[in-house]
Amino acid sequence: MPKKGKKAKTPLSDEEQLLLFQQKLLAEEEMAKKKERLLSQFLKDKLAKEEHNSALNLNKINTQWRTVLREVKTRELHKDIEILRQTFERVVDCKDSVIKSLAKDLSEAEQQHAHALCSHLHNIDQLLALQRCRLSLLEESYNMELEALTKEFETERKIIIDQHEKEIHYLQDVFMAMEQNYIDYEYESKLEFQSTWDDLKNKNLEEKHFLRLQLENTVEDLWRRFQDALKSYTDATEDQKVAFETLKVKDERSSKEIEAQMKKIQRLQGEKILKLAEICRKFETEEEKVLPFYSSGLTPKEQREIEEIKPEELTEELAKVIANYTGMENFWKRYNKVKLEQLSLQHRHAQLLEINGKLREMLKQYLDGISVSDEVLSQLNPLFIVNHRSNLPEPSFTHPTQPGDNQPPTTYNIIEAAHVISHIL
């Protein structure tokens, strides 16, 4: 441009005017482009700011809505838990009352049985004591009578023996006198002695026969008196014997009644066990119904050890115990099977609790991932997306390409957390 000053302004040529006009047009065009760029940049910044504010407000709204939904769900869960707790307590109270009533009935039945048994044993003891007392009195009376008869028999026997001895002495004296006379008159009175001796011998035989008849009569008299005493004893104890038989029959009848009551009690307990078995039958599986008893659970080594046990090593008591418990083998098989299943279920329950703990931890991590806090924002979170970007490092994907193939750009499906939580809660 020409300087202002002393020199006069010279007119421009056409070329200079055209050049100047072109420069002005370029400057104006450049200014228009600059203004357009500034306006475009301003609009982009404003749009980005609005998008950021919209995303932030949407996150705040989702957070507040999530809090409200959590409170509602928490109240519903608390209400359900309270209802379940009351129902469980009511069921437990019902079952406790049933158990108490059954235990009370059982204790009353046991007390009645014990009282009846005690009364029966007391009556038996009284009857035995009374019978022993009567037997002792009768035995004492019998011993007294027997002792009196024995004394009388001994007295008479002694008298008879003394008399016999006296007669024997007398005969001996006579024999000695005869012998002396025989010595004196041996030659003279041999024939007389022989006849006299025959007479004495016959007389002795007659006396001996008489004494034997007398002793037989005495023994018969004693036997008759003994039979009379026995008959009188039998007659005297006939009423007592009849009373004893009556009491014996009454005792047998009472024993039968007690046995019938015991059988009735046992039948009732058997019916209770059968009802419980029917209830348990409903919960059996098809396999348990078809095969209720499993085969022996012993190992081959244990089976060989049992077979190697010698029969002489078993005592009589041990053999009785084994014989008594042989019928319970199938019961113990089913009982052991139930115990094993219970232990298996407890082990499975522990495993499920562990899995539940892990799932709860994973759920907590997921809930932490979808919640917005300083702690969550400071960590890597795949669900937190701002401006269509996550704070996770972008994975690098490599795909085999063929020469000349035009690979399309990789696309990613992005699901917002608000959409996910709306379907979960």
Side-chain angles (χ1 to χ4, degrees):
M1 292 180 65
K3 293 182 180 180
K4 293 180 181 180
K6 297 178 179 181
K7 291 182 178 181
K9 186 174 181 183
T10 60
L12 298 175
S13 62
D14 294 334
E15 294 179 358
E16 290 178 353
Q17 288 179 0
L18 182 60
L19 182 61
L20 181 61
F21 181 72
Q22 289 179 354
Q23 289 179 355
K24 287 181 179 181
L25 290 176
L26 290 175
E28 290 176 359
E29 187 178 357
E30 186 177 356
M31 288 295 293
K33 289 182 178 180
K34 186 175 182 181
K35 288 180 181 180
E36 187 178 357
R37 286 197 299 269
L38 290 174
L39 182 60
S40 177
Q41 185 65 32
F42 174 75
L43 292 174
K44 287 182 179 179
D45 294 338
K46 189 175 181 180
L47 179 61
K49 187 176 180 180
E50 290 295 331
E51 288 180 354
H52 176 72
N53 292 330
S54 298
L56 184 60
N57 292 329
L58 181 62
N59 289 330
K60 289 181 180 180
I61 292 171
N62 289 333
T63 302
Q64 293 178 358
W65 181 247
R66 192 181 302 114
T67 304
V68 172
L69 291 178
R70 284 179 180 173
E71 291 177 355
V72 172
K73 191 65 176 181
T74 301
R75 286 195 296 269
E76 291 178 356
L77 290 176
H78 280 299
K79 188 181 294 183
D80 294 338
I81 290 171
E82 183 66 23
I83 294 172
L84 290 175
R85 184 183 65 80
Q86 293 177 0
T87 304
F88 178 75
E89 289 178 354
R90 183 168 64 254
V91 173
V92 170
D93 293 337
C94 292
K95 290 185 181 297
D96 289 338
S97 62
V98 173
I99 291 171
K100 289 180 181 179
S101 63
L102 292 176
K104 183 177 180 182
D105 296 338
L106 181 61
S107 62
E108 290 178 356
E110 290 179 351
Q111 290 178 359
Q112 292 177 1
H113 172 259
H115 181 70
L117 182 61
C118 181
S119 176
H120 173 66
L121 294 176
H122 181 68
N123 293 332
I124 293 298
D125 293 336
Q126 287 183 350
L127 290 174
L128 291 174
L130 179 63
Q131 189 62 24
R132 290 193 187 98
C133 181
R134 290 178 179 177
L135 287 176
S136 62
L137 292 175
L138 293 174
E139 186 178 2
E140 185 177 358
S141 176
Y142 172 77
N143 291 328
M144 290 176 64
E145 292 180 1
L146 181 62
E147 186 177 0
L149 290 174
T150 304
K151 288 182 180 179
E152 185 177 357
F153 177 78
E154 290 294 334
T155 303
E156 292 180 358
R157 182 172 179 276
K158 187 176 180 182
I159 292 171
I160 293 171
I161 290 173
D162 292 339
Q163 185 178 359
H164 180 67
E165 288 179 351
K166 287 180 181 179
E167 290 179 355
I168 288 175
H169 287 305
Y170 171 75
L171 292 174
Q172 288 178 354
D173 294 338
V174 172
F175 181 76
M176 290 177 64
M178 291 175 64
E179 187 176 2
Q180 186 66 32
N181 292 328
Y182 175 75
I183 293 171
D184 294 337
Y185 303 103
E186 182 178 5
Y187 297 102
E188 295 177 357
S189 42
K190 186 175 181 180
L191 295 173
E192 187 180 357
F193 171 74
Q194 186 67 30
S195 61
T196 304
W197 186 79
D198 293 335
D199 293 337
L200 289 174
K201 183 177 180 181
N202 294 328
K203 186 179 179 181
N204 190 14
L205 290 174
E206 290 177 358
E207 290 178 356
K208 190 175 181 180
H209 181 69
F210 176 74
L211 290 174
R212 187 182 64 175
L213 293 175
Q214 189 176 2
L215 287 174
E216 288 178 356
N217 293 329
T218 305
V219 170
E220 289 179 358
D221 185 40
L222 290 174
W223 177 254
R224 185 172 59 255
R225 291 173 63 184
F226 177 75
Q227 292 292 331
D228 294 337
L230 180 61
K231 184 178 181 182
S232 62
Y233 169 74
T234 305
D235 295 335
T237 58
E238 183 66 25
D239 297 335
Q240 297 176 356
K241 184 178 180 181
V242 172
F244 174 75
E245 294 294 333
T246 304
L247 291 175
K248 185 177 179 182
V249 172
K250 186 177 180 181
D251 179 63
E252 291 178 354
R253 190 183 303 110
S254 300
S255 300
K256 291 180 179 179
E257 291 178 358
I258 292 172
E259 185 178 359
Q261 293 294 331
M262 290 295 295
K263 289 181 178 179
K264 185 177 180 181
I265 293 172
Q266 291 178 358
R267 187 176 64 256
L268 292 176
Q269 294 176 353
E271 291 177 355
K272 182 179 179 182
I273 292 172
L274 291 176
K275 290 180 180 178
L276 292 175
E278 290 178 358
I279 295 172
C280 294
R281 183 73 175 175
K282 296 179 180 178
F283 296 98
E284 290 181 353
T285 61
E286 294 296 332
E287 183 180 359
E288 292 176 347
K289 291 180 180 179
V290 176
L291 297 174
F293 307 108
Y294 60 92
S295 59
S296 178
L298 299 177
T299 60
K301 184 178 179 182
E302 294 175 346
Q303 192 70 29
R304 287 196 299 271
E305 290 178 356
I306 293 175
E307 292 176 356
E308 290 175 358
I309 296 176
K310 297 180 179 179
E312 55 269 12
E313 294 180 359
L314 297 175
T315 61
E316 185 177 356
E317 296 180 356
L318 183 59
K320 289 181 179 179
V321 171
I322 293 174
N324 291 333
Y325 284 93
T326 302
M328 298 292 292
E329 184 176 357
N330 291 330
F331 170 77
W332 287 119
K333 283 184 178 180
R334 299 192 71 176
Y335 179 79
N336 292 332
K337 184 178 180 182
V338 172
K339 292 296 288 183
L340 289 175
E341 290 180 354
Q342 182 181 5
L343 293 175
S344 176
L345 290 175
Q346 291 177 355
H347 182 66
R348 180 59 179 168
H349 180 67
Q351 290 180 350
L352 291 177
L353 287 177
E354 184 178 358
I355 294 172
N356 189 17
K358 292 181 179 180
L359 291 175
R360 286 177 181 273
E361 185 178 356
M362 294 173 65
L363 181 61
K364 181 178 180 301
Q365 293 177 359
Y366 174 75
L367 293 176
D368 292 338
I370 64 174
S371 62
V372 179
S373 62
D374 295 336
E375 182 181 359
V376 174
L377 291 174
S378 63
Q379 297 177 358
L380 299 178
N381 192 341
L383 299 177
F384 185 71
I385 301 172
V386 178
N387 293 331
H388 304 287
R389 291 186 179 181
S390 174
N391 58 357
L392 291 177
E394 293 184 359
S396 60
F397 296 93
T398 58
H399 298 280
T401 59
Q402 297 293 333
D405 291 341
N406 294 322
Q407 295 293 332
T410 305
T411 58
Y412 301 95
N413 293 326
I414 299 173
I415 302 174
E416 292 185 358
H419 180 72
V420 175
I421 198 66
S422 64
H423 290 281
I424 293 177
L425 295 178

